[in-house]
Amino acid sequence: MTDHDRLLDELRPVSFAIAYRMLGSVSEAEDVVQEAMLRVHQSLDGGEQIASPHAFVATVTTRLAINELHSARVRREHYVGEWLPEPIITEGQDDPAMHAEMADSLSLALLVLLESLSPEQRAVLVLHDVFDYGYAEIAAIVGKSDDNVRQLATRARRHVKLRRPRFQTTRQQREQLARRFFAAAEEGDLAGLEALLAHDVELTGDGGGKVPSIKRSLHGRSRVARTLVDVMPQLARFPGVSLRPIEVNGDPGALLLDGQQRLIGVWALDFAGSQITSISVVVNPDKLTHLGPVGDFRSLMSPREED
């Protein structure tokens, strides 16, 4: 392996960490990373002296992601049903994208919220608040003045804090809440679920029109709890279907597996204090392929539909 190859291997996870938070899509982020690595490689092969490879790749990645985000938003306007980011499994990961102090920036709930920002606001917020880039550095990356960048950051931060207040919750507390939540859901314990859910909890499903899912997000403790109590026993009827607890996007979640241990869904939870504030369920098979073998949810359901 050459020095160039080693450098590219070092920069690739850095590029992905930025691109994924910018785009909320693994496939789109990987396309951006591939193009960013190509540009780094071409610059090195051309004899260019790169003073700071990390700054260089952050600049290239961010600019590519901003361009991609503009076109991605057009596609998402025509998306069938609710759109959720493509989940990633962060359990056991040890790279710049997965450090504990950055876990909050990976949550599906936050990535959905970031969709409401302009691409430039999203870039500034991600680079400054997550990766600790200075405003002057960010100004050079996004091609705006320092003052403009500060204004973008202030507006973006205000928007996020208004819709997603921060609460101190330890990892142990979140794991305990998740265990109690999944146990109550599988047991059909309505009172137990309601005790764990925030009064304005949101349940969102993303089937992308490919498999059955909740058509619109559900809000409210009672409504969400009753829906889960209705849905979970239906899933339990299918032979071998199980939930496997695992860390999803930096927080406790679960994989929904069929009898052959193929993936048919991902559950991601978001927390505030001692309550669960949002539940995201991704069952669109196109958004699961990067995680391993995917089962056929429709064929799993069809025998029951025919009975």
Side-chain angles (χ1 to χ4, degrees), residues 21-306:
R21 287 171 173 84
M22 281 288 295
L23 298 165
S25 164
V26 172
S27 55
E28 292 168 4
E30 287 177 341
D31 288 343
V32 164
V33 171
Q34 184 175 354
E35 178 63 24
M37 293 303 101
L38 177 61
R39 294 193 185 186
V40 173
H41 178 73
Q42 290 173 337
S43 296
L44 293 172
D45 271 6
E48 183 177 343
Q49 296 298 313
I50 302 177
S52 173
H54 282 71
F56 182 90
V57 80
T59 299
V60 173
T61 299
T62 301
R63 291 175 179 174
L64 289 170
I66 288 174
N67 291 337
E68 178 64 24
L69 196 53
H70 282 293
S71 59
R73 287 188 166 182
V74 175
R75 295 194 297 273
R76 289 168 194 175
E77 288 176 0
H78 302 285
Y79 193 79
V80 178
E82 297 283 356
W83 180 90
L84 286 172
E86 294 177 16
I88 55 176
I89 304 305
T90 50
E91 189 163 282
Q93 297 290 331
D94 185 22
D95 65 53
M98 311 306 178
H99 291 167
E101 63 271 19
M102 301 167 74
D104 184 64
S105 67
L106 284 170
S107 78
L108 291 195
L110 179 61
L111 292 176
V112 169
L113 180 53
L114 294 183
E115 286 289 304
S116 59
L117 301 177
S118 72
E120 289 75 17
Q121 284 179 324
R122 188 165 182 168
V124 171
L125 191 68
V126 166
L127 290 174
H128 184 272
D129 288 16
V130 180
F131 296 100
D132 204 28
Y133 279 82
Y135 288 121
E137 296 174 285
I138 299 171
I141 290 173
V142 300
K144 296 184 179 295
S145 68
D146 284 18
D147 287 345
N148 200 333
V149 164
R150 289 177 185 274
Q151 290 174 359
L152 287 170
T154 298
R155 291 169 186 162
R157 204 172 291 119
R158 185 186 304 124
H159 179 85
V160 170
K161 287 184 177 179
L162 182 65
R163 291 162 177 77
R164 192 170 184 266
R166 293 292 302 276
F167 294 87
Q168 292 298 322
T169 308
T170 67
R171 183 185 183 89
Q172 184 177 11
Q173 287 174 319
R174 296 195 302 272
E175 289 176 347
Q176 183 183 50
L177 281 170
R179 284 195 297 270
R180 291 170 59 195
F181 167 79
F182 286 117
E186 290 185 285
E187 293 167 6
D189 180 0
L190 180 62
L193 281 172
E194 290 183 338
L196 298 171
L197 303 178
H199 75 279
D200 57 350
V201 64
E202 181 176 16
L203 172 62
T204 304
D206 180 348
K210 306 292 181 66
V211 297
S213 181
I214 301 169
K215 294 182 178 179
R216 291 184 178 84
S217 294
L218 303 179
H219 299 264
R221 176 185 293 143
S222 178
R223 190 178 185 191
V224 168
R226 289 183 183 282
T227 299
L228 291 173
V229 166
D230 288 341
V231 169
M232 294 304 291
Q234 295 178 36
L235 291 175
R237 292 187 309 165
F238 302 119
V241 168
S242 62
L243 280 170
R244 178 193 298 170
I246 198 166
E247 186 179 279
V248 178
N249 285 71
D251 273 320
L255 305 181
L256 182 63
L257 305 169
D258 68 10
Q260 296 178 314
Q261 297 299 290
R262 296 174 303 186
L263 187 61
I264 53 177
V266 173
W267 290 61
L269 307 179
D270 200 47
F271 306 85
S274 60
Q275 294 180 315
I276 294 169
T277 55
S278 74
I279 305 158
S280 302
V281 185
V282 181
V283 290
N284 181 348
D286 294 344
K287 293 188 175 184
L288 303 176
T289 55
H290 63 284
L291 299 175
V294 177
D296 188 344
F297 199 16
R298 283 194 179 279
S299 68
L300 184 69
M301 296 182 69
S302 59
R304 295 291 176 180
E305 293 174 345
E306 291 168 1

